[in-house]
Amino acid sequence: MTFEGVFKTIKVSKDRIGSIVGKNGQVKTEIESKCKVYLDVDGETGDVSIKARDKDSLIQSGIFKASEIILAISKGFAPQRAFRLLSDECLLQLIDLREFSGKSLNSLDRIKSRLIGQNGKFRKNLEDFSGSDISIYGHFAGFIGTFDENSLALNAILMICKGSSHKSVYHMLEEHKRKKKLERLELWEKSG
């Protein structure tokens, strides 16, 4: 029996419904199990309704976690990456790339191409540097990671969106990595 009166509905593009349901309903079942919610997926309208199983799923923020996971999958993340959101340390952040491209589809495509890079190289390198999982889908760039991981990825993405070269972004990432290494070294020296 569902806990009446508490639910949330998320509109999902029809091409991502299959990813939310998963093969033989495995992803849907996993979300329901881990978040202690019930999902009702309407493949015709793209509506995904989330209902709490009981008061515990409200207290443990099951509806919130489930809605974040569904939103992440709807914005291009693989379900396994979206499940990082079950951790209280990780959060989802989205940027609408139209803020930088305006109404020009060519400009949007150019920005997305630069963010992904040749054969996905830039996106992969940015994930390795930042620790964030990154998705470029539709007119959105999304990040799943800790606050610090997402902040670093966001800075890099914003630099690219504003026209910086990949070389400049890599330089910023290397500088950040060097500073973090120095901070860890100083902490180690103070504790030793």
Side-chain angles (χ1 to χ4, degrees):
M1 186 172 134
T2 61
F3 182 67
E4 295 301 321
V6 179
F7 65 94
K8 182 173 184 170
T9 301
I10 299 174
K11 192 73 149 172
V12 175
S13 64
K14 292 179 187 175
D15 65 321
R16 296 301 295 167
I17 290 289
S19 298
I20 290 169
V21 173
K23 187 177 182 180
N24 299 322
Q26 289 174 328
V27 174
K28 177 181 176 274
T29 302
E30 192 170 350
I31 295 170
E32 289 175 330
S33 170
K34 290 183 175 178
C35 298
K36 295 178 178 45
V37 296
Y38 293 113
L39 298 181
D40 182 29
V41 181
D42 187 334
E44 294 296 315
T45 64
D47 289 341
V48 179
S49 298
I50 307 166
K51 296 180 183 176
R53 276 193 202 168
D54 51 33
K55 289 181 183 178
D56 286 342
S57 63
L58 287 176
I59 294 167
Q60 297 167 1
S61 67
I63 289 178
F64 176 74
K65 294 276 187 196
S67 63
E68 280 224 312
I69 290 168
I70 290 165
L71 183 60
I73 295 171
S74 77
K75 298 302 181 198
F77 284 97
Q80 288 65 37
R81 289 178 171 225
F83 284 127
R84 275 187 76 187
L85 293 166
L86 289 169
S87 164
D88 289 337
E89 313 251 315
C90 289
L91 52 109
L92 171 67
Q93 188 170 1
L94 298 170
I95 298 175
D96 190 339
L97 298 174
R98 294 177 299 186
E99 292 178 29
F100 303 95
S101 68
K103 294 181 179 180
S104 167
L105 290 178
N106 288 340
S107 182
L108 178 63
D109 287 343
R110 182 181 48 77
I111 290 171
K112 285 170 51 176
S113 294
R114 293 192 69 223
L115 292 175
I116 295 168
Q118 190 171 12
N119 298 319
K121 184 178 177 183
F122 181 74
R123 183 184 64 82
K124 176 72 174 120
N125 287 342
L126 184 52
E127 285 180 334
D128 291 343
F129 267 103
S130 68
S132 244
D133 288 318
I134 300 168
S135 173
I136 311 297
Y137 182 79
H139 54 87
F140 286 98
F143 320 96
I144 295 177
T146 64
F147 179 79
D148 289 339
E149 291 169 346
N150 284 358
S151 294
L152 182 58
L154 174 64
N155 286 339
I157 296 267
L158 290 176
M159 286 177 73
I160 292 292
C161 289
K162 292 176 181 176
S164 294
S165 68
H166 285 108
K167 183 178 179 180
S168 298
V169 174
Y170 283 130
H171 179 73
M172 181 272 296
L173 293 169
E174 287 287 353
E175 189 63 25
H176 181 269
K177 186 177 181 180
R178 188 184 66 74
K179 285 180 182 176
K180 286 292 186 189
K181 190 174 182 179
L182 281 174
E183 287 173 12
R184 284 192 303 270
L185 185 60
E186 288 173 8
L187 283 174
W188 183 76
E189 287 175 351
K190 287 179 183 178
S191 65

